Amino acid sequence: MTRGQGSWAIRDRDYVARVRRHRPSALLPLIARASATYRLESSWLESPYRKYTPWALADAARVSLAYGNEYRQDASEADLLMIVDMYSQLEEHYLYDHDSEALGRWLLRASGEQMTYQEPVFMELARAAAMLTQTAGTRPARCLRPGWEEELLGTSIAQLLWASATACAGRFDPAVLTGPGADRICAEVPAASILSVTEEHFVTDTSAFRGDNARARMTNDPLLRRFEYNPLRGYGPGFLAPVSHLIPSKASPLGIYYTGVARYGDAFAQDLGDLFEAYVGRQLRLLPNAMVRPEIVYGSNQARSVDWIVVTDELVLLVEVKSTRPTWHLRLATDERVEELNRRLGHAYNQIDNTAKLIASGRREFTDIPADRPFHGLVVTMEPFHIVNAPVQRPQLPATTVPVTACGISELESMVTITGAPVGRLLLERAADPERSTYALREALIGHTHARNTVLDAGWDSYPWRDAEAEQVPSE
């Protein structure tokens, strides 16, 4: 241990050594069982001493797989509790950095480490179906042709695997596909298809995992190791899922993005970006009493406005859609993070400001958009850019003449279903508050009633096992 800022902190090497004390075959099932027990977004708050966080369990599993061996000790529940407790006390650069940007860098790393695991499973899986199979793009697709989703991944299988893992202490046993009750499952998707998709996209072995982990390393700094990409997916025998939270994310739009780009290249990214833009439009049309316009083409050079313009009684909402995601520079808070943030989102802020000026000036192509009410900008991303609205990041993005809020798609999906208060008024109240305007958009949605999101419901209802609770999946 080492001492930092008046409190004891654990060295990463001591934590890694504590994990390596145990055989992976003994420790990983304990991790899987804990993950299945505290499987929902915030249920870790009910775990012993609130230590069984999904990010701690994921890192312990990663270290055990990457650096452990079978010539070690058995493991007990007490050992796992000690490991996750040590994880919660790991030393951090913030303990030693004393410059003005230290807090911002710590917030970037901590939010990337933790908030990824707090997206609701329902929204992740429902969005995948609603966006990828029920949304029509605006341009001809090059990769997303009929049947592509089953060929590439089989999103409905992720639902089955997640339900099995949470019901069976973190395991999916292929034997259940030939056991009692299996006919209900296999009537929807043949057992051979379930197994082939599972093997190809959800399962790895120790050797492959170690190779992926080594290639994913971006720095040799031990204080940053736990914030790097974790290639954890699934691990046999019997398809053990050390962290069940990671199964749905593999079949989320973002997980499918990585799988598709690896197979098809940039063409897949462009197809998915087009679908994501159209999907955001579907969500915006859920707003009551609002006029939703797609982008406006103007001028001799065929320039384009923001992707969507929403007119309400209270304001004009200018929405720019970005199917981008934070890179490792942002997750690790490297010196390149400011340049990377601008490269990913800077154009969206400029586009919003430019569109507001075009409307306000009365340009011919925009005359049906009212200029008599406030403008507000919304940058919607496929994966959240956590704390992007906060003072530690917002000043690093282009200045604008209108308020601009960045949000992840799940925040938009919640915003459009608010009942009892006009969304436009909520956005204006938030923008007028110097403190609340720096928070995530989600904060402004708390305390309001919501209707069902019919787009998400339609996506969820398309799955063959939509009505099956986890306990209904055949167990071992």
Side-chain angles (χ1 to χ4, degrees):
M1 296 188 294
T2 184
R3 194 169 180 81
Q5 291 195 346
S7 62
W8 289 100
I10 303 294
R11 287 192 179 95
D12 189 71
R13 68 187 184 192
D14 296 330
Y15 160 77
V16 170
R18 186 64 178 81
V19 176
R20 293 185 68 237
R21 186 184 300 180
H22 306 287
R23 294 185 291 109
S25 62
L27 182 60
L28 289 170
L30 293 175
I31 296 173
R33 183 180 295 275
S35 175
T37 301
Y38 308 108
R39 65 186 184 273
L40 300 179
E41 303 85 61
S42 59
S43 60
W44 61 268
L45 292 170
E46 303 168 4
S47 68
Y49 307 101
R50 298 185 174 184
K51 297 293 186 180
Y52 288 72
T53 62
W55 48 93
L57 295 172
D59 190 73
R62 174 192 187 183
V63 170
S64 182
L65 279 168
Y67 308 117
N69 66 70
E70 288 300 309
Y71 301 99
R72 299 285 178 158
Q73 304 174 10
D74 281 336
S76 67
E77 294 287 353
D79 292 316
L80 179 57
L81 179 58
M82 175 65 73
I83 287 169
V84 293
D85 180 56
M86 290 181 71
Y87 182 89
S88 70
Q89 300 179 63
L90 282 172
E91 59 182 344
E92 218 280 337
H93 273 289
Y94 182 58
L95 297 175
Y96 312 108
D97 295 342
H98 301 290
D99 59 81
S100 60
E101 296 183 343
L103 176 60
R105 290 197 296 268
W106 176 79
L107 286 170
L108 269 176
R109 290 190 285 264
S111 60
E113 171 197 34
Q114 300 177 17
M115 293 184 180
T116 303
Y117 293 93
Q118 298 179 38
E119 293 293 319
V121 169
F122 166 79
M123 297 180 82
E124 292 274 272
L125 294 181
R127 183 184 310 125
M131 174 179 148
L132 300 170
T133 67
Q134 299 176 344
T135 299
T138 59
R139 303 174 183 89
R142 290 187 286 174
C143 300
L144 305 185
R145 303 302 180 105
W148 72 269
E149 67 277 5
E150 292 299 330
E151 175 191 354
L152 182 64
L153 186 59
T155 54
S156 62
I157 292 172
Q159 186 188 41
L160 173 65
L161 297 178
W162 177 74
S164 178
T166 56
C168 306
R171 288 188 183 275
F172 170 69
D173 186 352
V176 304
L177 298 178
T178 58
D183 52 345
R184 179 188 174 193
I185 297 174
C186 298
E188 300 288 351
V189 181
S193 296
I194 294 174
L195 292 176
S196 65
V197 171
T198 300
E199 287 275 8
E200 182 176 359
H201 295 291
F202 292 90
V203 175
T204 188
D205 57 28
T206 301
S207 176
F209 181 90
R210 289 181 173 178
D212 289 343
N213 187 68
R215 287 187 291 273
R217 291 302 305 269
M218 296 296 180
T219 173
N220 292 322
D221 188 337
L223 301 188
L224 297 180
R225 179 201 58 76
R226 71 184 187 275
F227 300 110
E228 292 187 343
Y229 170 68
N230 187 341
L232 190 63
R233 292 182 293 177
Y235 179 70
F239 299 152
L240 177 70
V243 182
S244 55
H245 299 73
L246 296 176
I247 296 175
S249 64
K250 178 68 175 176
S252 70
L254 189 67
I256 292 172
Y257 165 87
Y258 288 116
T259 303
V261 169
R263 179 163 182 173
Y264 298 112
D266 289 343
F268 185 88
Q270 293 168 8
D271 281 357
L272 200 62
D274 179 49
L275 273 186
F276 184 56
E277 180 181 323
Y279 176 76
V280 168
R282 291 184 65 199
Q283 289 292 338
L284 292 171
R285 290 190 178 97
L286 295 180
L287 286 168
N289 305 315
M291 179 185 78
V292 180
R293 282 282 309 270
E295 65 181 4
I296 296 174
V297 179
Y298 63 94
S300 59
N301 61 349
Q302 298 289 285
R304 297 175 183 272
S305 71
V306 292
D307 297 314
W308 297 99
I309 300 174
V310 182
V311 179
T312 72
D313 291 339
E314 298 79 25
L315 54 67
V316 175
L317 185 62
L318 307 173
V319 182
E320 184 70 3
V321 182
K322 303 297 288 185
S323 59
T324 187
R325 62 221 51 85
T327 63
W328 72 274
H329 288 295
L330 289 165
R331 296 189 187 283
L332 300 186
T334 69
D335 291 339
E336 292 80 13
R337 67 191 182 282
V338 176
E339 178 183 350
E340 192 68 10
L341 181 65
N342 270 279
R343 188 170 73 86
R344 296 281 167 171
L345 298 181
H347 175 73
Y349 285 72
N350 290 328
Q351 187 78 324
I352 286 170
D353 215 39
N354 184 56
T355 301
K357 292 174 181 177
L358 290 168
I359 297 171
S361 69
R363 186 176 178 106
R364 174 175 54 84
E365 295 91 342
F366 295 84
T367 52
D368 62 337
I369 307 298
D372 61 348
R373 60 203 71 182
F375 296 108
H376 190 98
L378 200 64
V379 179
V380 182
T381 58
M382 187 179 295
E383 181 181 0
F385 281 67
H386 302 296
I387 72 166
V388 69
N389 302 307
V392 296
Q393 281 202 288
R394 178 60 182 92
Q396 299 167 358
L397 287 157
T400 55
T401 59
V402 300
V404 177
T405 299
C407 69
I409 182 60
S410 63
E411 293 175 283
L412 178 70
E413 290 163 342
S414 296
M415 185 191 81
V416 298
T417 62
I418 284 181
T419 59
V423 166
R425 190 184 76 199
L426 296 180
L427 291 174
L428 291 174
E429 291 173 351
R430 176 184 176 278
D433 189 315
E435 182 175 346
R436 292 180 65 223
S437 61
T438 66
Y439 299 163
L441 177 61
R442 183 172 283 109
E443 182 275 339
L445 312 180
I446 297 173
H448 296 280
T449 57
H450 292 258
R452 296 291 306 179
N453 188 305
T454 55
V455 173
L456 288 177
D457 282 345
W460 184 261
D461 288 344
S462 70
Y463 287 120
W465 302 294
R466 60 189 178 276
D467 297 324
E469 297 294 333
E471 61 266 24
Q472 293 178 296
V473 177
S475 60
E476 298 175 281

